[in-house]
Structure formats: structure tokens, C-alpha cells
Amino acid sequence: MTSIDQLYCKTLDQNDPLAALREEFNLPAGMIYLDGNSLGAQPKVAFQRAQQVIQEEWGNDLIKSWNKAGWFDLPSRLGNLLAPLIGADADEVVITDSTSINLFKAIAAVLNIQSKKADANTRKVIVTERSNFPTDIYMAEGLTQWLDRGYRLHLIDSAEELSKAINQDTALVMLTHVNYRSGALHDMAAVTAMAHAHGALCLWDLAHSAGAVEVNLQQANADFAVGCCYKYLNGGPGAPAFIWVPKRHQADFHHPLTGWWGHAAPFAMLPSFTVTPDIRRALCGTQPIVSLAMIESGLQVFAKTSMASVRQKSLALTDLFIQLVETRCAQHQLELVTPREHAQRGSHVSFTHQHAYAVIQALIERGVVGDYREPGIMRFGFTPLYTSYTDVWIAVEILRDILDSRSYNTNIQRNAVT
Amino acid sequence: MTSIDQLYCKTLDQNDPLAALREEFNLPAGMIYLDGNSLGAQPKVAFQRAQQVIQEEWGNDLIKSWNKAGWFDLPSRLGNLLAPLIGADADEVVITDSTSINLFKAIAAVLNIQSKKADANTRKVIVTERSNFPTDIYMAEGLTQWLDRGYRLHLIDSAEELSKAINQDTALVMLTHVNYRSGALHDMAAVTAMAHAHGALCLWDLAHSAGAVEVNLQQANADFAVGCCYKYLNGGPGAPAFIWVPKRHQADFHHPLTGWWGHAAPFAMLPSFTVTPDIRRALCGTQPIVSLAMIESGLQVFAKTSMASVRQKSLALTDLFIQLVETRCAQHQLELVTPREHAQRGSHVSFTHQHAYAVIQALIERGVVGDYREPGIMRFGFTPLYTSYTDVWIAVEILRDILDSRSYNTNIQRNAVT
């Protein structure tokens, strides 16, 4: 292994084809931000976009903006801008509501499809991971308990259990493509094929994938997907989420959140619901326009590169981080949680440490922003659009210094949001 | 009847205790905006608030803002600011999701409460109005069809039918307090008492009431309420909605949208859902922070007056409008749809006209912004915080001129959003 130093990292930056994209973002001076997997950084044009919506569209044009500024079509128009990043076709994605709400719609649609099949009485299991992001599990729990038709969750403890867990009783395989904690990446095509071979459908949560790894939903023959716009897509805090329904499933996409934006004729004001035939059937109520509109600013940056380039740099950044932590902090009992194999790794890296929470707080104090996740995990996100190789070097040096000097407070009080 | 002229209206403005509040809003020059019942005007401080959230909280503090800027508590904090406007107690309101989604939660909670009662097998009817805002009906349809437990909707055609429609089979009476089309206002306390007398629960949609008429949910002994923040509350386009669950019902408030924001320990990342005991159980997923934060700017204006003053001016404005239209446009076959009785009138006024759509478009062209609603209705909203008596005079004079000169285009093509 070549010995790596800051000069070497600087050379990597000089040869980085994505280096210029950092200029598209506002990044606080003196901060190395390794939390873009939780809240993406701010595209410089986001504020101007918000200003346009607030001052011109809302302030000057008021109600006319529903037509004139295209507010009513924003979920579809932004969905079409996002589609190429996840291997979706046109008119298959809308940006709307939260990831939790979109999960509910998709789970409901799958159970409805399965309930029409001959083996509906026995096909009652939703397979997911115990380590899935909690809200995914909670939404499935909430829906199945309410339906009270014998659906049950089967929580597996590792990806290896999938092949045993998926069988003729499986209605739905619901997985997060990249695990929010470990950073482990599922083989979407292989798992989907396994599910289909047993008559199950496959729902993918792309919260930590969209804008982070190459995703090709069509090629993987996936059934449904949802995901988040405020992480790697840099859409702004709590920006509305997306939902993908491929054309082949749109006619069968039924869910109980039948709000007026999903109606075939929303302005006819009819007293009975008729679902629209296209992707807008995944819509429900009126959307928060300012937060929604800013998502475009994040998507515009991706239009200047390709997901292949983003992925290549992501792997280089995470490789470098793992290698530096394991060499320069070798004596500090940091345990890598994230898979080493590229094919199994997303765009963040997690290590356990006995004092993980305290160390993360000390890092944040020193300007290196990662985050803590239960239990005992330090999590670091690498966002190729604005993270440099030198950032990685400096971050690891500060981590090493904190650990070497034990300059972290193990009695630190925890924040509500960790 | 005194003869009314523009000078008289000017005198009314000079004596209007709310006149100064108009300065709190950005209103486009030359526009008389009578559509604040659809999209409220922009509080002057809204843009600064957005700028703070986007540039400082998101741009500079990034992920830290979940704690430091209180993003995670925004739904509750803003809910407490809104509570006094609708007669709710502290910790009974959250601002979150859309009105449609909140309706779903509340309808689900009611059906769950009723399903525990001895007469659950026969108490299967949801009473509502055929003229209710469509999404209210659609959400009830969506939920009951999915539950498939014999719940059915009973759509009545006038408020007079309520006393016959509500009986021992009624699980839920679900009404919009002020009708979006006619402007008719229900007697909340009387209807709620009627529902309770028959063992039914009462859910109120306050979309056209909050910030428009005096609402006292506690005094009316209402059970649940939802409503909109982007109409009379001036929260910005598509701003998240609110939901009210009184303390007496909070322990029984169960719905299937069990996202992580409603969990008792959202950051413990537990693999099973446990509902939080307080009002936050009405939350589901992550909220759009920029759109959410701007709601505060609208609520701050209400803090400078009282709903009694707002209501008093609202009735004066709508009285004046009705009187002027009926006298100055007397020969044009405009038919008043809105009740004349104060106790039965909200804060907008609707007239039918043979060429309603064309006339509304002509008014908009001349700077008087009302809107059209099917079938054949011209709708005019009166927002006491920023509408003057002189506005009313001028609006009616322009309407009269358009009608007298027949300067409207009956072949005009309709916009998607009308």
C-alpha cells in the first residue's frame, strides 16, 4: 500500500473531474461536512429559487401562480427531472409528501395487487430487515394492523437470510437499498429477481441511494420505489419525497390516500373519487410549494455530471476514508461496520467505538460534521459533489488527534436529535 | 337604506381598527385581492423568515439546525401559536402534512374509537355533505373502502337534513365548518351536540374558518379538527396543514400513518412502533421546514388583533359587498348563494351568473382577483387583515362596468386550476 499523505490527497483533488461542482454549493467556512447523507448541503441557486417563488410567484402573482408558475405540475415536472438519476422512465415519478407517507401508498398498492391473486389467502408476509430505517417498518406495521387481514412482518437480521425468508407466502419484499446505519448496499436486481421468482413484489427505499449510488430501477425490474430529496439530492430540509411507479404497474396502483390531487378531474369538484390513470394517482393533497420548488436547484447540479462519475468518486472517497482511519487511528479500536466490497457499499461509512457519541460531538466541535446512530455508531457521509479528498485527509487527522489526546467528553448530554 | 358611495367607504376605512394591519402584507400594486380564502397574501416578514431558514439554518448550520433552530419541534411550537385562534388548548395542535392526510388520520381515529363500542356492528355511517370540499369526501371513501368493514358514507344535500341523517348508526359527522363554495357556516356547537346525543363523534374541517371566523373548538365540545394554513392564515402556498386532537381524546387517537415522528422514542431507532402519548402522535414523517417555518409569519399578524375584531370586520365587508352588488348590479341576474344571516356566513361571498367563469376572468384582467367554482359560481373572499372597504367599493364598480358593457369573453378557454 502506498503511503498516503495530504499532498497525495491534494493531487487527487487536482485530478478530480467533479472538483468544480463544489462551487455550486454554499459550504460554511472551516467546516468539513460529512453529513450530506442526513441533510444535503445548500445549492447556491436554492435561495434565488425560493426568492422567486416567495416574492414573485406568491407575493406578486398570488393565486395565478397555480397556472402561471406551474405550481400544480411541480410534483410531475420535478419527478421527470429526477427520473434519470434512478433509472426511471418519464412520467413514472412524482415528488410529493414524505417518504413515510409514500411508503404507505406503495405498501398498500402491493397488498392490493396481491389480494387479487389466487393464493391471496396464504400470501400474507412482508419481508424486511430489522435494521431497516424504523419508519419503513412502522408504516408497514401501521397499515397491516389496520387492515387486520392476517398480514404480518418477517424481520430478518442479515441480507443472507433473504433467500430463506422469501417464499410462496411472501407478498412484499421491502428493503432500503443502502442501509442508513451500516451503509450496506443490496443487489437490487438479484433480490428483485428472487422476490419475483416466488411471486412476491419488491419495494425499494432509495433514501440513501438516490444521488449517491447508481440506481437503475427499470433494469432491475423493480416494482415500486420511494426516496428522500433532502439527503444526497440536496433539496433542502425536509423537502418532499419521491415515489416511483413504473408504467406496467400504474393501472394497478391503488392506495387509500385518495386525495383530490390524485383525482382524474380534480377541479370538476365531483362528490366521488375517480383515480387519474397516470403517475399522479400517487398524489394526495396540496404540496408545500416553496420547499418543493427548491428541489430543482439540487437536481440541476446532477445534470452537470453523471451518476457513474458520482459513484466512481464516492467509492474513491470511502475507500480513502476507510484506509486512513484503519492506518492512522489503528490503535483506537474503531470497528468498520460498512462492507469493504464496492458492490456492497453505499456512500457513507460507519465505525463503532466505545465512546462513539462523545467522539462525534468532539469532531463536530472541531468542524468535522458526521453523526451518531444507535447503537454506538459513528457515521460519515461522502457526497462527491462537494466533498474533496483533502477533506477526507483533514477529517481523519482531526479524528486521530481527538482519539490520541482523548479530548472527548464521555459525560456529554445527548441532544433530542442525534 | 343609506345610499353608499366611495366616500362613505373611505370613512369606514378611516375608522377601521384593523386598517393598519394591511401594512403587514405585500400586496401587488393595482390589485384588489379577493382570493385570500384560496391563497392568503404574503406577510412582509415571510421572506426574511425563509431567508433565515435557508441561508443561516440550512446553509450555515446544516444538520445542527434540527436541534439548534428547533426544526424538530416546529410542528408543535407553531401548533401552540395557532391554538388560540381556534379555541384549542396548548399541546392540542400540530402543524404537519396536508389537510387531506390529516383528515385521513382523524377519520381513522374516529372509526377506531367507535369500533370499540358495544354497538360497533351497526354504527357504520359517516355523515357528510355532498357539497363538502371534495377531498374530504375522497379521503373518507379511500379509508372506508380499504377497511372494507361495512362503513358507508351518507351524503346529505343541505344542513337541514342533518337532524334526520344523524342517528344511532352514525359513527362520524364530518363537516367543513364554512362551505368552500357557498360560504355557509355551520353551528358547530349545535351540530356537535346533535352528534353526541346519538353517540357519534364530530370532525370539523376548518379550512375556510381558521383566521376567518371565531372558532371555539373547546367550547363547542368538538372532537377533532383539521385545517389549512395557506388560506386565511397566510402561511404561504401549500403550507402544511393543522390537526387538533383535544386532550380528552389523545390517548385514544390511533391511526395507521405511524411514521417515526409519532414514535415515543423516535431516535432510539427501535424496530417496532410505540405511539407517543401526546399530540405528536398525529405526526408521521419529516416535514418541509422552509414551507413550515413561514407559517409563523402569518400567525404573528393575528397576534396583533383578536378573532372577534377580525370577525366583526369580516361581516361588515361581506355585508357591504352583498349590498353593493345587489344594488349597483341589480339588473344583471346575479344570484346570492351565501346566507344573509351573520350566524350562517363565513368570510367569502358567492354569486351565480350565467357567464360566471368569463366574468371572473374579466375581473382578474381588470385587477380584481376572485375565483370561479363549479357550477357557475363567482367567489369573493374577504380577508379583514388586508382588505379595505374602499377595495369592496372599487371591486363592485369594476364588476358593474364589466357587466354593463358585457366586456367578458364567453368563449374563453379554461385553465387547469380554476
Side-chain angles (χ1 to χ4, degrees):
Chain A
M1 181 164 56
T2 334
S3 160
I4 297 173
D5 59 11
Q6 188 161 0
L7 194 64
Y8 173 77
C9 292
K10 197 176 164 187
T11 312
L12 292 177
D13 286 328
Q14 282 161 350
N15 297 319
D16 172 13
L18 300 190
L21 294 181
R22 186 181 175 103
E23 289 308 308
E24 304 281 335
F25 294 90
N26 285 318
L27 291 164
M31 185 191 286
I32 294 176
Y33 190 62
L34 304 180
D35 216 357
N37 54 323
S38 189
L39 173 63
Q42 184 189 51
K44 282 183 178 162
V45 296
F47 178 62
Q48 280 117 281
R49 182 75 183 102
Q51 185 165 19
Q52 183 189 16
V53 175
I54 298 169
Q55 295 192 325
E56 293 172 37
E57 297 174 15
W58 177 20
N60 284 332
D61 292 337
L62 284 150
I63 194 69
K64 298 177 195 171
S65 289
W66 283 106
N67 290 304
K68 188 177 165 189
W71 287 351
F72 198 64
D73 294 325
L74 263 182
S76 309
R77 187 170 69 77
L78 297 179
N80 280 336
L81 292 179
L82 169 61
L85 301 186
I86 54 174
D89 288 342
D91 302 326
E92 293 187 338
V93 182
V94 280
I95 301 187
T96 189
D97 294 331
S98 65
T99 305
S100 298
I101 298 288
N102 289 335
L103 281 162
F104 186 86
K105 297 170 192 165
I107 299 166
V110 168
L111 299 188
N112 182 60
I113 291 168
Q114 297 290 21
S115 75
K116 314 281 186 197
K117 293 188 181 162
D119 59 359
N121 284 337
T122 55
R123 195 174 282 283
K124 293 290 193 181
V125 180
I126 298 174
V127 173
T128 190
E129 291 179 290
R130 194 180 309 280
S131 66
N132 200 345
F133 188 72
T135 217
D136 297 56
I137 302 174
Y138 303 160
M139 296 311 293
E141 269 188 284
L143 178 60
T144 55
Q145 282 176 15
W146 269 75
L147 282 179
D148 194 21
R149 288 178 204 153
Y151 291 109
R152 58 191 184 279
L153 270 69
H154 179 175
L155 303 184
I156 59 170
D157 288 298
S158 80
E160 289 68 43
E161 291 177 40
L162 276 171
S163 60
K164 259 200 344 213
I166 300 172
N167 58 37
Q168 73 284 354
D169 295 339
T170 310
L172 168 64
V173 179
M174 177 183 82
L175 295 169
T176 297
H177 188 216
V178 174
N179 186 280
Y180 79 99
R181 191 157 35 190
S182 69
L185 169 70
H186 282 291
D187 182 335
M188 183 183 286
V191 174
T192 301
M194 202 192 301
H196 289 178
H198 291 87
L201 292 169
C202 222
L203 164 59
W204 292 96
D205 181 342
L206 305 179
H208 289 267
S209 312
V213 302
E214 287 177 279
V215 179
N216 197 325
L217 290 165
Q218 283 290 0
Q219 203 172 288
N221 204 22
D223 295 299
F224 301 98
V226 301
C228 174
C229 294
Y230 56 77
K231 297 177 185 286
Y232 292 96
L233 296 178
N234 309 306
F242 66 86
I243 178 163
W244 171 72
V245 181
K247 293 250 168 63
R248 74 179 196 280
H249 283 319
Q250 286 181 3
D252 296 320
F253 190 77
H254 292 285
H255 61 84
L257 300 175
T258 49
W260 69 309
W261 280 38
H263 197 284
F267 291 94
M269 304 287 178
L270 302 170
S272 179
F273 188 76
T274 303
V275 72
T276 189
D278 60 32
I279 181 63
R280 290 174 299 173
R281 63 203 290 150
L283 302 176
C284 180
T286 307
Q287 292 302 300
I289 296 299
V290 179
S291 284
L292 183 58
M294 283 195 296
I295 291 171
E296 187 163 7
S297 306
L299 295 175
Q300 284 167 344
V301 184
F302 282 95
K304 301 182 180 190
T305 179
S306 68
M307 281 310 303
S309 303
V310 169
R311 175 63 169 161
Q312 191 176 26
K313 182 174 173 190
S314 162
L315 288 169
L317 290 168
T318 52
D319 275 345
L320 177 66
F321 183 74
I322 292 168
Q323 187 177 351
L324 286 175
V325 169
E326 293 191 334
T327 50
R328 302 190 61 86
C329 310
Q331 75 276 36
H332 290 295
Q333 277 133 356
L334 293 157
E335 192 110 16
L336 181 66
V337 175
T338 306
R340 287 177 201 279
E341 297 78 4
H342 284 183
Q344 294 172 31
R345 190 198 306 161
S347 199
H348 68 267
V349 174
S350 295
F351 283 95
T352 57
H353 184 268
Q354 192 194 347
H355 300 297
Y357 186 80
V359 173
I360 279 289
Q361 298 311 313
L363 278 166
I364 293 169
E365 282 296 307
R366 298 273 296 269
V368 177
V369 178
D371 62 23
Y372 172 82
R373 282 297 175 267
E374 292 289 356
I377 282 176
M378 301 193 290
R379 189 175 73 153
F380 303 93
F382 296 89
T383 46
L385 300 183
Y386 53 81
T387 302
S388 71
Y389 297 93
T390 302
D391 285 341
V392 175
W393 172 267
I394 297 170
V396 176
E397 286 307 285
I398 292 173
L399 173 64
R400 184 181 59 73
D401 185 61
I402 288 168
L403 293 169
D404 285 354
S405 61
R406 295 188 62 86
S407 51
Y408 47 86
N409 173 8
T410 54
N411 296 318
I412 194 165
Q413 198 171 353
R414 299 222 179 157
N415 279 320
V417 185
T418 53
Chain B
M1 181 164 57
T2 333
S3 162
I4 298 172
D5 58 13
Q6 187 160 1
L7 194 66
Y8 173 78
C9 293
K10 198 177 164 186
T11 312
L12 292 176
D13 286 328
Q14 281 161 349
N15 296 320
D16 172 13
L18 301 190
L21 294 179
R22 187 182 175 103
E23 289 309 307
E24 304 281 334
F25 294 90
N26 285 317
L27 290 165
M31 186 191 284
I32 294 177
Y33 190 62
L34 304 180
D35 215 359
N37 53 323
S38 188
L39 172 63
Q42 184 189 50
K44 282 184 178 161
V45 296
F47 178 61
Q48 280 118 282
R49 181 74 184 104
Q51 184 165 21
Q52 183 190 16
V53 175
I54 297 170
Q55 294 192 325
E56 292 171 38
E57 297 174 14
W58 178 19
N60 285 333
D61 293 336
L62 283 150
I63 194 70
K64 296 177 197 173
S65 290
W66 284 106
N67 289 305
K68 189 175 163 188
W71 287 351
F72 198 63
D73 295 325
L74 264 182
S76 309
R77 188 169 69 77
L78 297 179
N80 280 336
L81 292 180
L82 169 61
L85 300 186
I86 54 173
D89 288 343
D91 302 326
E92 293 188 337
V93 181
V94 280
I95 301 188
T96 189
D97 295 331
S98 65
T99 306
S100 298
I101 298 289
N102 289 336
L103 280 163
F104 186 86
K105 296 169 192 166
I107 300 167
V110 168
L111 298 188
N112 182 62
I113 291 168
Q114 297 290 21
S115 75
K116 313 282 187 198
K117 294 189 181 161
D119 59 358
N121 285 338
T122 54
R123 195 175 281 284
K124 294 289 194 183
V125 179
I126 297 174
V127 173
T128 189
E129 290 178 290
R130 194 181 309 281
S131 66
N132 200 343
F133 189 71
T135 217
D136 298 56
I137 301 174
Y138 302 161
M139 296 311 293
E141 269 189 281
L143 177 62
T144 55
Q145 283 177 15
W146 271 75
L147 281 178
D148 194 21
R149 286 179 205 152
Y151 292 110
R152 59 192 183 280
L153 270 69
H154 180 175
L155 303 183
I156 59 170
D157 288 299
S158 82
E160 288 69 45
E161 292 177 39
L162 276 170
S163 59
K164 257 198 347 211
I166 300 172
N167 57 39
Q168 74 284 354
D169 294 340
T170 311
L172 168 64
V173 178
M174 176 182 85
L175 295 170
T176 298
H177 188 214
V178 175
N179 186 279
Y180 79 100
R181 195 158 31 191
S182 68
L185 168 70
H186 283 292
D187 182 337
M188 183 183 284
V191 174
T192 301
M194 203 192 303
H196 289 179
H198 291 87
L201 293 169
C202 223
L203 163 60
W204 292 97
D205 180 342
L206 305 179
H208 290 266
S209 313
V213 301
E214 287 177 279
V215 179
N216 197 326
L217 290 165
Q218 283 290 0
Q219 203 172 292
N221 204 21
D223 295 298
F224 301 98
V226 302
C228 174
C229 295
Y230 57 77
K231 296 177 185 287
Y232 292 94
L233 296 178
N234 308 306
F242 66 85
I243 179 165
W244 170 73
V245 181
K247 292 250 168 63
R248 75 179 196 277
H249 281 319
Q250 286 182 1
D252 295 321
F253 190 78
H254 291 284
H255 62 84
L257 300 175
T258 49
W260 69 310
W261 278 37
H263 197 285
F267 292 94
M269 303 288 180
L270 303 170
S272 181
F273 188 77
T274 305
V275 72
T276 189
D278 60 31
I279 182 62
R280 290 174 298 172
R281 63 203 294 152
L283 302 177
C284 179
T286 307
Q287 291 304 299
I289 297 299
V290 180
S291 285
L292 183 59
M294 282 195 297
I295 292 171
E296 187 163 7
S297 306
L299 295 176
Q300 283 166 347
V301 183
F302 282 95
K304 301 184 181 189
T305 178
S306 69
M307 281 311 302
S309 303
V310 169
R311 174 62 169 164
Q312 190 176 26
K313 182 174 173 190
S314 162
L315 288 169
L317 289 168
T318 51
D319 275 345
L320 177 66
F321 183 73
I322 293 168
Q323 187 178 351
L324 286 175
V325 169
E326 294 191 333
T327 51
R328 303 189 62 85
C329 309
Q331 75 276 37
H332 290 295
Q333 275 133 0
L334 293 157
E335 191 112 15
L336 181 67
V337 175
T338 306
R340 287 177 202 278
E341 297 77 5
H342 284 182
Q344 293 174 33
R345 190 198 307 162
S347 198
H348 66 270
V349 174
S350 296
F351 282 95
T352 56
H353 184 267
Q354 192 192 350
H355 300 297
Y357 186 80
V359 173
I360 279 290
Q361 296 311 313
L363 278 167
I364 293 170
E365 282 296 307
R366 297 273 297 270
V368 177
V369 179
D371 61 23
Y372 172 82
R373 283 296 175 269
E374 292 288 357
I377 282 175
M378 300 194 290
R379 189 175 71 156
F380 303 92
F382 297 87
T383 46
L385 299 183
Y386 52 82
T387 302
S388 70
Y389 296 93
T390 303
D391 286 341
V392 175
W393 171 267
I394 297 171
V396 176
E397 286 306 287
I398 292 173
L399 172 64
R400 184 180 58 74
D401 185 59
I402 289 168
L403 293 170
D404 284 352
S405 61
R406 293 188 62 86
S407 53
Y408 48 87
N409 173 8
T410 54
N411 297 316
I412 195 165
Q413 200 172 351
R414 299 224 180 155
N415 281 320
V417 185
T418 55

